[in-house]
Amino acid sequence: MKRVIKAWLPPAIVHAYQGLRSDAIRFKGEFHSWESARAASSGYDSETIFQKSRAAALKVKAGEAVYERDSVLFDHVEFSFPLLAGLLRVACMREGHLNVLDFGGSLGTTYRQFKAFKAPLESLRWNIVEQPQFVEAGRAEFADEELKFFPSIQEAVKDEAPDVVVLSSVLQYVDRPYNLIQEICSVEARSIVISRTPCAKTPYDVLTVQVVPPSIYDASYPCWIFAEAQLLAAFSTSHRLIASFQEPGGPWQSDHGVFELGGFVFERVPSSYAG
């Protein structure tokens, strides 16, 4: 019945109702600097987030849960098929070999999502770059022959350039996302796959604060909502856009307006390959 009612309500009323729910993720305010948004929030590097993410990932590893994302446990895997298609496309180009750089990959959330599809591959290496406490726990409790953890991009690519870079729900949570994009483009991966990234049809990026309800974990942190055209332009000098997609569950509402969680698959243009 709720789905029937929702289908007949104007979108503005639905968004307003969702924003008022106590268990809803909210996007509050507009800030002119990362420092001011950081001062108005608890931060993404809080111990609470790390401990809940680690506990959830350990339950998945022990077989007590099927899947986790952002510390939330699921009884089924939440596949992002466009993201998986982007990875398998590169694996085909590399004749069954795949080396992934997963920036902000937590303790292996996307890696575990991909494992269901890795069987035909000749080889897989999955390198996660994360915050120090995630790297320490990852190396001690989750790393194996395929899955590795690194504190920086430089260390992750020291021995071999990745075939593909994954940026899943991460660009919006870094201080200078365009500096990170520039660094990512410089590692000379064949492809870049982005998912779960806030994008709007606005002329400029908006910096807000994302408030997470206590039912997930009680935290808040700065969050960028990107002007889609501006975000795409940041990749255009070295990569061309292969595909774009929207994640299910949207649209989302912020104090600044409506946005979607978007995804993109980029391919490095031939003239940008080394040699």
Side-chain angles (χ1 to χ4, degrees):
M1 180 59 74
K2 287 182 178 178
R3 290 183 180 180
V4 174
I5 294 173
K6 181 180 176 181
W8 286 94
L9 287 175
I13 294 178
V14 174
H15 299 153
Y17 168 72
Q18 290 173 335
L20 291 172
R21 287 172 48 185
S22 60
D23 62 343
I25 294 175
R26 300 182 184 186
F27 299 84
K28 299 179 63 176
E30 181 176 353
F31 298 84
H32 297 292
S33 70
W34 186 264
E35 289 73 21
S36 60
R38 181 69 180 82
S41 58
S42 60
Y44 201 73
D45 55 352
S46 77
E47 183 67 12
T48 300
I49 296 174
F50 166 66
Q51 291 298 347
K52 293 206 69 170
S53 299
R54 174 177 171 269
L58 285 172
K59 285 192 175 185
V60 174
K61 181 183 178 182
E64 298 172 16
V66 175
Y67 182 67
E68 64 81 23
R69 189 182 66 218
D70 299 331
S71 84
V72 178
L73 293 172
F74 296 82
D75 59 5
H76 63 282
V77 180
E78 291 264 309
F79 290 111
S80 172
F81 289 106
L83 183 153
L84 296 173
L87 295 177
L88 292 172
R89 177 178 181 275
V90 178
C92 290
M93 296 166 65
R94 290 276 290 111
E95 299 180 338
H97 299 276
L98 190 63
N99 185 337
V100 179
L101 172 62
D102 183 359
F103 187 91
S106 188
L107 294 168
T109 300
T110 304
Y111 166 71
R112 284 186 284 277
Q113 185 185 150
F114 182 73
K115 284 180 71 175
F117 295 85
K118 73 164 191 174
L121 298 186
E122 294 289 333
S123 68
L124 172 65
R125 179 164 177 169
W126 198 284
N127 307 301
I128 291 177
V129 175
E130 260 293 354
Q131 300 173 74
Q133 68 269 42
F134 281 83
V135 173
E136 183 178 354
R139 288 175 171 175
E141 299 172 306
F142 297 93
D144 56 27
E145 288 301 310
E146 288 183 347
L147 183 62
K148 308 293 181 186
F149 293 84
F150 299 91
S152 70
I153 293 173
Q154 292 88 343
E155 289 193 39
V157 305
K158 183 171 60 178
D159 295 330
E160 184 180 1
D163 300 311
V164 57
V165 178
V166 172
L167 300 170
S168 180
S169 190
V170 65
L171 281 175
Q172 61 266 39
Y173 301 127
V174 298
D175 182 357
R176 296 178 174 83
Y178 291 97
N179 288 2
L180 174 60
I181 290 171
Q182 191 172 25
E183 185 175 5
I184 290 294
C185 290
S186 71
V187 302
E188 300 184 351
R190 287 172 178 262
S191 181
I192 299 172
V193 180
I194 299 174
S195 70
R196 300 183 58 76
T197 301
C199 292
K201 304 295 184 184
T202 51
Y204 58 89
D205 301 333
V206 173
L207 181 58
T208 185
V209 166
Q210 178 176 335
V211 181
V212 183
S215 58
I216 300 177
Y217 48 67
D218 191 6
S220 59
Y221 27 76
C223 175
W224 291 102
I225 299 172
F226 295 102
E228 183 174 308
Q230 188 165 304
L231 181 66
L232 293 177
F235 294 89
S236 62
T237 56
S238 58
H239 292 74
R240 68 184 180 95
L241 182 65
I242 298 297
S244 62
F245 56 94
Q246 290 182 352
E247 304 284 357
W252 296 77
Q253 180 73 45
S254 74
D255 288 351
H256 192 74
V258 174
F259 66 92
E260 297 278 358
L261 291 182
F264 309 94
V265 178
F266 294 97
E267 180 180 67
R268 192 170 181 82
V269 296
S271 60
S272 298
Y273 284 112

PDB file of all heavy atoms in Angstrom, residues 168-198:
ATOM      1  N   SER A 168      34.151   4.139  -5.292  1.00  0.00           N
ATOM      2  CA  SER A 168      32.763   3.872  -4.924  1.00  0.00           C
ATOM      3  C   SER A 168      32.420   4.587  -3.628  1.00  0.00           C
ATOM      4  O   SER A 168      32.967   4.255  -2.562  1.00  0.00           O
ATOM      5  CB  SER A 168      32.542   2.356  -4.761  1.00  0.00           C
ATOM      6  OG  SER A 168      31.208   2.097  -4.413  1.00  0.00           O
ATOM      7  N   SER A 169      31.551   5.577  -3.715  1.00  0.00           N
ATOM      8  CA  SER A 169      31.093   6.344  -2.547  1.00  0.00           C
ATOM      9  C   SER A 169      32.271   6.904  -1.752  1.00  0.00           C
ATOM     10  O   SER A 169      32.357   6.707  -0.532  1.00  0.00           O
ATOM     11  CB  SER A 169      30.219   5.452  -1.640  1.00  0.00           C
ATOM     12  OG  SER A 169      29.603   6.243  -0.644  1.00  0.00           O
ATOM     13  N   VAL A 170      33.163   7.589  -2.426  1.00  0.00           N
ATOM     14  CA  VAL A 170      34.344   8.099  -1.730  1.00  0.00           C
ATOM     15  C   VAL A 170      34.697   9.533  -2.112  1.00  0.00           C
ATOM     16  O   VAL A 170      35.126  10.312  -1.247  1.00  0.00           O
ATOM     17  CB  VAL A 170      35.560   7.164  -1.976  1.00  0.00           C
ATOM     18  CG1 VAL A 170      35.971   7.160  -3.439  1.00  0.00           C
ATOM     19  CG2 VAL A 170      36.720   7.551  -1.095  1.00  0.00           C
ATOM     20  N   LEU A 171      34.546   9.916  -3.386  1.00  0.00           N
ATOM     21  CA  LEU A 171      34.956  11.265  -3.802  1.00  0.00           C
ATOM     22  C   LEU A 171      34.287  12.350  -2.973  1.00  0.00           C
ATOM     23  O   LEU A 171      34.890  13.390  -2.678  1.00  0.00           O
ATOM     24  CB  LEU A 171      34.621  11.480  -5.284  1.00  0.00           C
ATOM     25  CG  LEU A 171      35.570  10.872  -6.311  1.00  0.00           C
ATOM     26  CD1 LEU A 171      35.009  11.087  -7.718  1.00  0.00           C
ATOM     27  CD2 LEU A 171      36.964  11.481  -6.186  1.00  0.00           C
ATOM     28  N   GLN A 172      33.030  12.105  -2.582  1.00  0.00           N
ATOM     29  CA  GLN A 172      32.278  13.139  -1.859  1.00  0.00           C
ATOM     30  C   GLN A 172      32.780  13.354  -0.432  1.00  0.00           C
ATOM     31  O   GLN A 172      32.408  14.324   0.202  1.00  0.00           O
ATOM     32  CB  GLN A 172      30.784  12.799  -1.824  1.00  0.00           C
ATOM     33  CG  GLN A 172      30.427  11.489  -1.133  1.00  0.00           C
ATOM     34  CD  GLN A 172      30.330  10.322  -2.085  1.00  0.00           C
ATOM     35  OE1 GLN A 172      31.123  10.218  -3.013  1.00  0.00           O
ATOM     36  NE2 GLN A 172      29.346   9.458  -1.880  1.00  0.00           N
ATOM     37  N   TYR A 173      33.629  12.441   0.063  1.00  0.00           N
ATOM     38  CA  TYR A 173      34.055  12.527   1.458  1.00  0.00           C
ATOM     39  C   TYR A 173      35.506  12.960   1.632  1.00  0.00           C
ATOM     40  O   TYR A 173      36.050  12.812   2.723  1.00  0.00           O
ATOM     41  CB  TYR A 173      33.835  11.173   2.143  1.00  0.00           C
ATOM     42  CG  TYR A 173      32.404  10.705   2.111  1.00  0.00           C
ATOM     43  CD1 TYR A 173      32.074   9.449   1.620  1.00  0.00           C
ATOM     44  CD2 TYR A 173      31.367  11.517   2.567  1.00  0.00           C
ATOM     45  CE1 TYR A 173      30.751   9.017   1.575  1.00  0.00           C
ATOM     46  CE2 TYR A 173      30.046  11.107   2.531  1.00  0.00           C
ATOM     47  CZ  TYR A 173      29.748   9.850   2.030  1.00  0.00           C
ATOM     48  OH  TYR A 173      28.434   9.435   1.985  1.00  0.00           O
ATOM     49  N   VAL A 174      36.144  13.439   0.583  1.00  0.00           N
ATOM     50  CA  VAL A 174      37.518  13.920   0.716  1.00  0.00           C
ATOM     51  C   VAL A 174      37.547  15.438   0.578  1.00  0.00           C
ATOM     52  O   VAL A 174      36.723  16.041  -0.117  1.00  0.00           O
ATOM     53  CB  VAL A 174      38.461  13.272  -0.322  1.00  0.00           C
ATOM     54  CG1 VAL A 174      38.520  11.764  -0.123  1.00  0.00           C
ATOM     55  CG2 VAL A 174      38.030  13.601  -1.733  1.00  0.00           C
ATOM     56  N   ASP A 175      38.534  16.016   1.243  1.00  0.00           N
ATOM     57  CA  ASP A 175      38.655  17.477   1.319  1.00  0.00           C
ATOM     58  C   ASP A 175      38.791  18.102  -0.071  1.00  0.00           C
ATOM     59  O   ASP A 175      38.071  19.038  -0.424  1.00  0.00           O
ATOM     60  CB  ASP A 175      39.871  17.789   2.203  1.00  0.00           C
ATOM     61  CG  ASP A 175      40.097  19.271   2.401  1.00  0.00           C
ATOM     62  OD1 ASP A 175      39.352  20.071   1.822  1.00  0.00           O
ATOM     63  OD2 ASP A 175      41.035  19.630   3.129  1.00  0.00           O
ATOM     64  N   ARG A 176      39.713  17.586  -0.857  1.00  0.00           N
ATOM     65  CA  ARG A 176      39.995  18.151  -2.184  1.00  0.00           C
ATOM     66  C   ARG A 176      39.792  17.075  -3.248  1.00  0.00           C
ATOM     67  O   ARG A 176      40.761  16.451  -3.721  1.00  0.00           O
ATOM     68  CB  ARG A 176      41.424  18.704  -2.240  1.00  0.00           C
ATOM     69  CG  ARG A 176      41.660  19.876  -1.279  1.00  0.00           C
ATOM     70  CD  ARG A 176      43.093  20.375  -1.323  1.00  0.00           C
ATOM     71  NE  ARG A 176      43.285  21.575  -0.523  1.00  0.00           N
ATOM     72  CZ  ARG A 176      43.492  21.584   0.784  1.00  0.00           C
ATOM     73  NH1 ARG A 176      43.538  20.431   1.440  1.00  0.00           N
ATOM     74  NH2 ARG A 176      43.642  22.715   1.436  1.00  0.00           N
ATOM     75  N   PRO A 177      38.562  16.817  -3.639  1.00  0.00           N
ATOM     76  CA  PRO A 177      38.290  15.716  -4.572  1.00  0.00           C
ATOM     77  C   PRO A 177      38.956  15.879  -5.930  1.00  0.00           C
ATOM     78  O   PRO A 177      39.348  14.888  -6.558  1.00  0.00           O
ATOM     79  CB  PRO A 177      36.764  15.729  -4.690  1.00  0.00           C
ATOM     80  CG  PRO A 177      36.346  17.100  -4.263  1.00  0.00           C
ATOM     81  CD  PRO A 177      37.342  17.524  -3.226  1.00  0.00           C
ATOM     82  N   TYR A 178      39.137  17.116  -6.394  1.00  0.00           N
ATOM     83  CA  TYR A 178      39.734  17.299  -7.724  1.00  0.00           C
ATOM     84  C   TYR A 178      41.244  17.039  -7.700  1.00  0.00           C
ATOM     85  O   TYR A 178      41.812  16.642  -8.714  1.00  0.00           O
ATOM     86  CB  TYR A 178      39.393  18.692  -8.268  1.00  0.00           C
ATOM     87  CG  TYR A 178      37.918  18.794  -8.580  1.00  0.00           C
ATOM     88  CD1 TYR A 178      37.029  19.366  -7.676  1.00  0.00           C
ATOM     89  CD2 TYR A 178      37.394  18.252  -9.757  1.00  0.00           C
ATOM     90  CE1 TYR A 178      35.670  19.421  -7.935  1.00  0.00           C
ATOM     91  CE2 TYR A 178      36.039  18.301 -10.031  1.00  0.00           C
ATOM     92  CZ  TYR A 178      35.176  18.884  -9.113  1.00  0.00           C
ATOM     93  OH  TYR A 178      33.824  18.912  -9.381  1.00  0.00           O
ATOM     94  N   ASN A 179      41.890  17.259  -6.567  1.00  0.00           N
ATOM     95  CA  ASN A 179      43.291  16.849  -6.425  1.00  0.00           C
ATOM     96  C   ASN A 179      43.407  15.334  -6.479  1.00  0.00           C
ATOM     97  O   ASN A 179      44.337  14.784  -7.092  1.00  0.00           O
ATOM     98  CB  ASN A 179      43.869  17.369  -5.109  1.00  0.00           C
ATOM     99  CG  ASN A 179      44.090  18.864  -5.114  1.00  0.00           C
ATOM    100  OD1 ASN A 179      43.777  19.537  -6.095  1.00  0.00           O
ATOM    101  ND2 ASN A 179      44.589  19.398  -4.024  1.00  0.00           N
ATOM    102  N   LEU A 180      42.464  14.644  -5.810  1.00  0.00           N
ATOM    103  CA  LEU A 180      42.465  13.175  -5.841  1.00  0.00           C
ATOM    104  C   LEU A 180      42.224  12.669  -7.260  1.00  0.00           C
ATOM    105  O   LEU A 180      42.889  11.727  -7.715  1.00  0.00           O
ATOM    106  CB  LEU A 180      41.385  12.641  -4.895  1.00  0.00           C
ATOM    107  CG  LEU A 180      41.163  11.125  -4.938  1.00  0.00           C
ATOM    108  CD1 LEU A 180      42.437  10.366  -4.566  1.00  0.00           C
ATOM    109  CD2 LEU A 180      40.006  10.729  -4.013  1.00  0.00           C
ATOM    110  N   ILE A 181      41.294  13.274  -7.981  1.00  0.00           N
ATOM    111  CA  ILE A 181      41.030  12.864  -9.361  1.00  0.00           C
ATOM    112  C   ILE A 181      42.287  13.009 -10.222  1.00  0.00           C
ATOM    113  O   ILE A 181      42.625  12.133 -11.019  1.00  0.00           O
ATOM    114  CB  ILE A 181      39.863  13.695  -9.943  1.00  0.00           C
ATOM    115  CG1 ILE A 181      38.544  13.299  -9.265  1.00  0.00           C
ATOM    116  CG2 ILE A 181      39.767  13.498 -11.463  1.00  0.00           C
ATOM    117  CD1 ILE A 181      37.382  14.204  -9.604  1.00  0.00           C
ATOM    118  N   GLN A 182      42.992  14.111 -10.027  1.00  0.00           N
ATOM    119  CA  GLN A 182      44.236  14.333 -10.790  1.00  0.00           C
ATOM    120  C   GLN A 182      45.255  13.238 -10.489  1.00  0.00           C
ATOM    121  O   GLN A 182      45.928  12.727 -11.395  1.00  0.00           O
ATOM    122  CB  GLN A 182      44.801  15.710 -10.436  1.00  0.00           C
ATOM    123  CG  GLN A 182      45.925  16.168 -11.323  1.00  0.00           C
ATOM    124  CD  GLN A 182      46.317  17.610 -11.038  1.00  0.00           C
ATOM    125  OE1 GLN A 182      46.100  18.128  -9.941  1.00  0.00           O
ATOM    126  NE2 GLN A 182      46.894  18.267 -12.020  1.00  0.00           N
ATOM    127  N   GLU A 183      45.371  12.854  -9.210  1.00  0.00           N
ATOM    128  CA  GLU A 183      46.314  11.790  -8.825  1.00  0.00           C
ATOM    129  C   GLU A 183      45.868  10.446  -9.391  1.00  0.00           C
ATOM    130  O   GLU A 183      46.690   9.664  -9.879  1.00  0.00           O
ATOM    131  CB  GLU A 183      46.433  11.717  -7.303  1.00  0.00           C
ATOM    132  CG  GLU A 183      47.481  10.712  -6.835  1.00  0.00           C
ATOM    133  CD  GLU A 183      47.675  10.719  -5.331  1.00  0.00           C
ATOM    134  OE1 GLU A 183      46.931  11.437  -4.626  1.00  0.00           O
ATOM    135  OE2 GLU A 183      48.577   9.994  -4.858  1.00  0.00           O
ATOM    136  N   ILE A 184      44.561  10.178  -9.336  1.00  0.00           N
ATOM    137  CA  ILE A 184      44.027   8.919  -9.872  1.00  0.00           C
ATOM    138  C   ILE A 184      44.292   8.827 -11.378  1.00  0.00           C
ATOM    139  O   ILE A 184      44.709   7.782 -11.891  1.00  0.00           O
ATOM    140  CB  ILE A 184      42.516   8.812  -9.586  1.00  0.00           C
ATOM    141  CG1 ILE A 184      42.251   8.608  -8.089  1.00  0.00           C
ATOM    142  CG2 ILE A 184      41.878   7.700 -10.414  1.00  0.00           C
ATOM    143  CD1 ILE A 184      42.742   7.300  -7.540  1.00  0.00           C
ATOM    144  N   CYS A 185      44.062   9.911 -12.084  1.00  0.00           N
ATOM    145  CA  CYS A 185      44.277   9.891 -13.539  1.00  0.00           C
ATOM    146  C   CYS A 185      45.745   9.664 -13.886  1.00  0.00           C
ATOM    147  O   CYS A 185      46.059   9.122 -14.952  1.00  0.00           O
ATOM    148  CB  CYS A 185      43.795  11.205 -14.155  1.00  0.00           C
ATOM    149  SG  CYS A 185      42.003  11.417 -14.160  1.00  0.00           S
ATOM    150  N   SER A 186      46.650  10.044 -12.988  1.00  0.00           N
ATOM    151  CA  SER A 186      48.081   9.934 -13.286  1.00  0.00           C
ATOM    152  C   SER A 186      48.622   8.523 -13.111  1.00  0.00           C
ATOM    153  O   SER A 186      49.766   8.263 -13.503  1.00  0.00           O
ATOM    154  CB  SER A 186      48.874  10.889 -12.382  1.00  0.00           C
ATOM    155  OG  SER A 186      48.886  10.429 -11.044  1.00  0.00           O
ATOM    156  N   VAL A 187      47.856   7.582 -12.528  1.00  0.00           N
ATOM    157  CA  VAL A 187      48.391   6.224 -12.315  1.00  0.00           C
ATOM    158  C   VAL A 187      48.282   5.373 -13.574  1.00  0.00           C
ATOM    159  O   VAL A 187      48.726   4.232 -13.591  1.00  0.00           O
ATOM    160  CB  VAL A 187      47.692   5.501 -11.136  1.00  0.00           C
ATOM    161  CG1 VAL A 187      47.826   6.291  -9.860  1.00  0.00           C
ATOM    162  CG2 VAL A 187      46.239   5.190 -11.442  1.00  0.00           C
ATOM    163  N   GLU A 188      47.696   5.905 -14.626  1.00  0.00           N
ATOM    164  CA  GLU A 188      47.675   5.276 -15.948  1.00  0.00           C
ATOM    165  C   GLU A 188      46.914   3.956 -15.981  1.00  0.00           C
ATOM    166  O   GLU A 188      47.299   3.011 -16.677  1.00  0.00           O
ATOM    167  CB  GLU A 188      49.098   5.089 -16.487  1.00  0.00           C
ATOM    168  CG  GLU A 188      49.842   6.408 -16.640  1.00  0.00           C
ATOM    169  CD  GLU A 188      51.217   6.249 -17.260  1.00  0.00           C
ATOM    170  OE1 GLU A 188      51.648   5.095 -17.407  1.00  0.00           O
ATOM    171  OE2 GLU A 188      51.827   7.269 -17.608  1.00  0.00           O
ATOM    172  N   ALA A 189      45.836   3.850 -15.236  1.00  0.00           N
ATOM    173  CA  ALA A 189      44.957   2.687 -15.343  1.00  0.00           C
ATOM    174  C   ALA A 189      44.167   2.775 -16.647  1.00  0.00           C
ATOM    175  O   ALA A 189      43.878   3.864 -17.137  1.00  0.00           O
ATOM    176  CB  ALA A 189      44.003   2.642 -14.160  1.00  0.00           C
ATOM    177  N   ARG A 190      43.809   1.611 -17.197  1.00  0.00           N
ATOM    178  CA  ARG A 190      43.031   1.592 -18.437  1.00  0.00           C
ATOM    179  C   ARG A 190      41.647   2.202 -18.248  1.00  0.00           C
ATOM    180  O   ARG A 190      41.069   2.768 -19.181  1.00  0.00           O
ATOM    181  CB  ARG A 190      42.845   0.151 -18.919  1.00  0.00           C
ATOM    182  CG  ARG A 190      44.079  -0.493 -19.502  1.00  0.00           C
ATOM    183  CD  ARG A 190      43.848  -1.953 -19.773  1.00  0.00           C
ATOM    184  NE  ARG A 190      45.000  -2.584 -20.388  1.00  0.00           N
ATOM    185  CZ  ARG A 190      45.119  -2.796 -21.697  1.00  0.00           C
ATOM    186  NH1 ARG A 190      44.151  -2.445 -22.505  1.00  0.00           N
ATOM    187  NH2 ARG A 190      46.199  -3.365 -22.196  1.00  0.00           N
ATOM    188  N   SER A 191      41.108   2.046 -17.025  1.00  0.00           N
ATOM    189  CA  SER A 191      39.726   2.465 -16.808  1.00  0.00           C
ATOM    190  C   SER A 191      39.544   3.002 -15.390  1.00  0.00           C
ATOM    191  O   SER A 191      40.304   2.647 -14.476  1.00  0.00           O
ATOM    192  CB  SER A 191      38.784   1.269 -17.040  1.00  0.00           C
ATOM    193  OG  SER A 191      37.438   1.637 -16.867  1.00  0.00           O
ATOM    194  N   ILE A 192      38.561   3.832 -15.205  1.00  0.00           N
ATOM    195  CA  ILE A 192      38.132   4.323 -13.891  1.00  0.00           C
ATOM    196  C   ILE A 192      36.630   4.085 -13.780  1.00  0.00           C
ATOM    197  O   ILE A 192      35.876   4.464 -14.688  1.00  0.00           O
ATOM    198  CB  ILE A 192      38.450   5.817 -13.712  1.00  0.00           C
ATOM    199  CG1 ILE A 192      39.958   6.073 -13.811  1.00  0.00           C
ATOM    200  CG2 ILE A 192      37.907   6.323 -12.367  1.00  0.00           C
ATOM    201  CD1 ILE A 192      40.322   7.553 -13.836  1.00  0.00           C
ATOM    202  N   VAL A 193      36.212   3.436 -12.688  1.00  0.00           N
ATOM    203  CA  VAL A 193      34.787   3.166 -12.470  1.00  0.00           C
ATOM    204  C   VAL A 193      34.353   3.882 -11.201  1.00  0.00           C
ATOM    205  O   VAL A 193      34.917   3.666 -10.125  1.00  0.00           O
ATOM    206  CB  VAL A 193      34.517   1.657 -12.343  1.00  0.00           C
ATOM    207  CG1 VAL A 193      33.026   1.411 -12.122  1.00  0.00           C
ATOM    208  CG2 VAL A 193      34.992   0.914 -13.584  1.00  0.00           C
ATOM    209  N   ILE A 194      33.355   4.731 -11.327  1.00  0.00           N
ATOM    210  CA  ILE A 194      32.836   5.516 -10.200  1.00  0.00           C
ATOM    211  C   ILE A 194      31.410   5.064  -9.916  1.00  0.00           C
ATOM    212  O   ILE A 194      30.624   4.823 -10.844  1.00  0.00           O
ATOM    213  CB  ILE A 194      32.855   7.018 -10.538  1.00  0.00           C
ATOM    214  CG1 ILE A 194      34.291   7.485 -10.799  1.00  0.00           C
ATOM    215  CG2 ILE A 194      32.229   7.847  -9.429  1.00  0.00           C
ATOM    216  CD1 ILE A 194      34.378   8.920 -11.276  1.00  0.00           C
ATOM    217  N   SER A 195      31.060   4.941  -8.629  1.00  0.00           N
ATOM    218  CA  SER A 195      29.675   4.614  -8.277  1.00  0.00           C
ATOM    219  C   SER A 195      29.279   5.329  -6.991  1.00  0.00           C
ATOM    220  O   SER A 195      30.135   5.805  -6.243  1.00  0.00           O
ATOM    221  CB  SER A 195      29.491   3.100  -8.119  1.00  0.00           C
ATOM    222  OG  SER A 195      30.143   2.634  -6.961  1.00  0.00           O
ATOM    223  N   ARG A 196      27.968   5.414  -6.754  1.00  0.00           N
ATOM    224  CA  ARG A 196      27.386   5.976  -5.524  1.00  0.00           C
ATOM    225  C   ARG A 196      27.973   7.349  -5.190  1.00  0.00           C
ATOM    226  O   ARG A 196      28.399   7.603  -4.055  1.00  0.00           O
ATOM    227  CB  ARG A 196      27.569   5.014  -4.358  1.00  0.00           C
ATOM    228  CG  ARG A 196      26.913   3.637  -4.579  1.00  0.00           C
ATOM    229  CD  ARG A 196      27.043   2.738  -3.375  1.00  0.00           C
ATOM    230  NE  ARG A 196      26.444   3.332  -2.182  1.00  0.00           N
ATOM    231  CZ  ARG A 196      25.141   3.402  -1.946  1.00  0.00           C
ATOM    232  NH1 ARG A 196      24.289   2.912  -2.815  1.00  0.00           N
ATOM    233  NH2 ARG A 196      24.689   3.957  -0.855  1.00  0.00           N
ATOM    234  N   THR A 197      27.979   8.237  -6.169  1.00  0.00           N
ATOM    235  CA  THR A 197      28.550   9.576  -6.017  1.00  0.00           C
ATOM    236  C   THR A 197      27.474  10.639  -6.249  1.00  0.00           C
ATOM    237  O   THR A 197      26.843  10.648  -7.313  1.00  0.00           O
ATOM    238  CB  THR A 197      29.707   9.771  -7.017  1.00  0.00           C
ATOM    239  OG1 THR A 197      30.694   8.768  -6.753  1.00  0.00           O
ATOM    240  CG2 THR A 197      30.329  11.144  -6.883  1.00  0.00           C
ATOM    241  N   PRO A 198      27.237  11.538  -5.273  1.00  0.00           N
ATOM    242  CA  PRO A 198      26.169  12.529  -5.411  1.00  0.00           C
ATOM    243  C   PRO A 198      26.420  13.485  -6.578  1.00  0.00           C
ATOM    244  O   PRO A 198      27.461  14.138  -6.642  1.00  0.00           O
ATOM    245  CB  PRO A 198      26.197  13.287  -4.076  1.00  0.00           C
ATOM    246  CG  PRO A 198      26.923  12.384  -3.139  1.00  0.00           C
ATOM    247  CD  PRO A 198      27.918  11.631  -3.975  1.00  0.00           C
TER     248      PRO A 198
END
